[in-house]
């Protein structure tokens, strides 16, 4: 009985590997001039903590390819890039840029980076001070460009 369950389990696991989320392809050439301008200090924090989901420079962990975890990981990357891609900044309308500055200021305290992601990427966690710095920077800009 146990053996059968095991065989079915392994079989199902192998089968679901065929199901992967399609993330839109990364452009052949990433135009660096389109990247969101940020002070060096902020850029370092954002690159470490946000780029996996909000840029084309995703470091995909091995489990990012293993279903069913990959469904979660890949949908975060897909949705994350769609909501905000720091490397598509130059292509955004003023309205969208505004929304993003506001969004960063609003989400940086709790929602971003995603808590589940932090549990797997301790180095991406931000201290209270670091979050505050990002917030102040985002707020400054959301005023300036209004
Ligand atoms: C594990 C992937 C992941 C990481 C890491 C991540 N995000 Fe997100 N982010 C998402 C996803 C998915 C969405 C879209 C769904 C949502 O809004 O929750 C999103 C949405 C957003 C939005 C738009 C939502 C709104 O309400 O305005 C902002 C702004 C944002 N993220 C900022 C950040 C910042 C800043 C960081 C780094 C400090 C970060 N994110 C790190 C996955 C991620």
């Amino acid at each position: 009985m146990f053996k059968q369950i095991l065989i079915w389990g392994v079989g199902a696991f192998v089968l679901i590997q065929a199901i992967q989320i399609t993330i839109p392809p990364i452009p052949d050439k990433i135009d660096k001039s389109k990247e969101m301008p940020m002070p060096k200090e902020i850029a370092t924090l954002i690159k470490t903590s946000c780029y996996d989901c909000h840029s084309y420079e995703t470091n995909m962990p091995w489990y990012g390819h293993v279903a069913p975890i990959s469904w979660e990981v890949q949908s975060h990357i897909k949705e994350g890039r769609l909501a905000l891609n720091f490397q598509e900044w130059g292509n955004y309308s003023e309205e969208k840029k505004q929304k993003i500055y506001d969004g960063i200021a609003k989400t940086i305290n709790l929602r971003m980076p995603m808590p589940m992601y932090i549990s797997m990427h301790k180095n991406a966690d931000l201290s209270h001070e670091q979050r505050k710095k990002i917030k102040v920077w985002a707020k400054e800009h959301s005023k300036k460009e209004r």
Side-chain angles (χ1 to χ4, degrees):
M1 186 61 186
F2 177 72
K3 208 172 153 190
Q4 253 165 359
I5 293 172
L6 194 72
I7 291 168
W8 278 102
V10 170
F13 179 77
V14 169
L15 281 179
I16 63 168
Q17 299 312 313
I19 310 167
Q20 299 288 346
I21 286 166
T22 0
I23 304 176
I26 290 173
D28 292 335
K29 247 183 140 185
I30 295 162
D31 185 351
K32 284 272 171 199
S33 71
K34 302 267 190 216
E35 199 150 3
M36 185 179 189
M38 307 173 213
K40 243 199 176 117
E41 196 188 1
I42 302 289
T44 309
L45 299 177
I46 297 230
K47 280 185 181 161
T48 311
S49 300
C50 320
Y51 264 44
D52 271 351
C53 302
H54 291 297
S55 85
Y56 294 121
E57 285 164 24
T58 303
N59 281 316
M60 186 69 98
W62 63 267
Y63 52 81
H65 300 286
V66 183
I69 307 168
S70 60
W71 302 337
E72 189 83 8
V73 173
Q74 290 174 21
S75 77
H76 288 159
I77 295 166
K78 186 177 175 181
E79 301 300 321
R81 280 188 193 154
L82 216 61
L84 158 59
N85 186 334
F86 286 105
Q87 292 176 312
E88 286 286 348
W89 179 258
N91 294 324
Y92 291 158
S93 66
E94 281 311 307
E95 198 189 341
K96 169 126 183 169
K97 287 179 179 169
Q98 188 61 56
K99 262 201 176 144
I100 289 173
Y101 278 126
D102 286 346
I104 294 174
K106 271 192 208 120
T107 56
I108 197 68
N109 280 336
L110 271 181
R111 277 180 52 217
M112 294 291 154
M114 296 181 89
M116 205 180 82
Y117 171 82
I118 295 176
S119 67
M120 300 299 286
H121 300 81
K122 296 272 182 244
N123 69 322
D125 200 3
L126 295 165
S127 69
H128 182 71
E129 285 306 304
Q130 289 170 325
R131 287 175 198 266
K132 213 164 143 188
K133 272 187 191 143
I134 294 175
K135 189 168 184 163
V136 167
W137 161 75
K139 277 204 153 165
E140 251 169 33
H141 279 271
S142 69
K143 259 185 253 145
K144 236 185 253 168
E145 296 189 8
R146 208 163 266 162

